[in-house]
Amino acid sequence: RSMERSRALAEMRKHPRAQLRLPVRFRWPGPLGMRLEVTHTVDVSREGLLIHRNQPCDVSARVWVAFPFDPAANFAAQPETPGRIVREEKDPAGGHRIGLRLLRPPRWTPRAADQERRGSPRIPFALPIFVRPAGTPWPEESMTQDLSRSGVRFETSHIYAADDMVLAKIPWSEWAKAGEISGRVVRVEAMDGAAGRA
C-alpha cells in the first residue's frame, strides 16, 4: 500500500526528481523564534526537495531553504527560498523523509498610480528580520519577502494595523550596521495559513 501511495505521488509531480545527496539548511518558525537545521537531500527537483531529518515535521509548515548549502560560508548570507512541507514519512533506514515544495515569488503586477506608494523597486529576497512594535521590548524574528531602498515586506504572526510604528533590524550587510530602523506599517495582507504579512 505504501508503494502504491509513493507511485501516485510520483505521478502527480510536474518535474522529475534526481537522486542527489547535498547539504541543505532549512529554517522554520519555532515557539521561541526561528530554528535552523542543516541536513542533506535525498532527491531534488525543480520545485521541490526531499530531505532527511531525525525528527518529524508538521505538514503544511512554512520553511525557508538554503540549497545547496555551503557550511564553510556559515557567516555569509546565503540565498534562501521559501517553501512549505507537503509530506512526511518514516525512512526505512531510520529517521524521517520530509517533502518540501519550493514557492516561487509572486508575480509583481503594477498597481494603479493613485494606489502605488513605492518610490523604488522591490527585490524578492528572503532574509531574517527582527521586528517589534514601538514601545515593546521583544522583537519577533521573521523573514522578509522583498526589499527596497525604503521599505520591506515581511511575514508575521503578530497583528499589525496600518500606521503602526515599528522598529526593525536586518542582521545582514549594510542593514546590520544601521541597527534598528524605525518604520511605519503601510499595508497588511492576509496569507495562506496562520501568518500574515506587513
Side-chain angles (χ1 to χ4, degrees):
R1 207 169 172 99
S2 175
M3 292 287 288
E4 290 174 8
R5 183 171 174 270
S6 297
R7 280 197 202 99
L9 286 169
E11 288 168 5
M12 289 168 41
R13 295 175 187 147
K14 295 183 202 176
H15 305 285
R17 290 189 176 254
Q19 292 187 337
L20 291 173
R21 183 183 167 101
L22 293 170
V24 59
R25 185 187 70 192
F26 74 108
R27 179 193 307 262
W28 74 99
L32 299 174
M34 289 289 184
R35 299 183 63 187
L36 283 173
E37 182 174 337
V38 177
T39 182
H40 63 84
T41 58
V42 176
D43 59 40
V44 303
S45 77
R46 184 176 167 189
E47 292 186 348
L49 304 173
L50 185 64
I51 66 171
H52 179 274
R53 73 183 304 254
N54 293 328
Q55 300 296 323
C57 288
D58 293 333
V59 174
S60 82
R62 188 87 157 121
V63 297
W64 290 265
V65 180
F67 173 78
F69 176 64
D70 181 4
N74 210 9
F75 296 103
Q78 296 187 49
E80 295 186 50
T81 303
R84 197 169 292 282
I85 296 173
V86 292
R87 79 176 190 279
E88 179 270 327
E89 60 193 23
K90 286 195 172 181
D91 190 331
H96 298 263
R97 290 184 173 192
I98 311 297
L100 307 177
R101 181 170 60 89
L102 303 178
L103 304 175
R104 296 180 182 177
R107 287 186 178 179
W108 181 78
T109 53
R111 296 165 62 94
D114 60 336
Q115 296 178 347
E116 183 56 74
R117 299 180 183 183
R118 297 172 185 162
S120 53
R122 288 186 180 260
I123 301 169
F125 205 64
L127 286 172
I129 185 171
F130 295 86
V131 183
R132 64 185 175 97
T136 63
W138 307 113
E140 174 192 21
E141 184 181 3
S142 185
M143 295 293 286
T144 64
Q145 286 193 335
D146 54 43
L147 304 101
S148 74
R149 291 182 63 185
S150 58
V152 62
R153 188 166 59 157
F154 64 96
E155 299 188 15
T156 178
S157 56
H158 187 85
I159 298 173
Y160 287 102
D163 292 324
D164 282 354
M165 299 303 295
V166 297
L167 295 165
K169 180 178 180 179
I170 297 176
W172 183 72
S173 188
E174 296 299 317
W175 287 293
K177 298 175 186 175
E180 281 192 318
I181 300 170
S182 62
R184 180 174 59 88
V185 175
V186 295
R187 183 167 56 251
V188 179
E189 301 170 356
M191 289 182 62
D192 293 338
R197 60 189 178 199

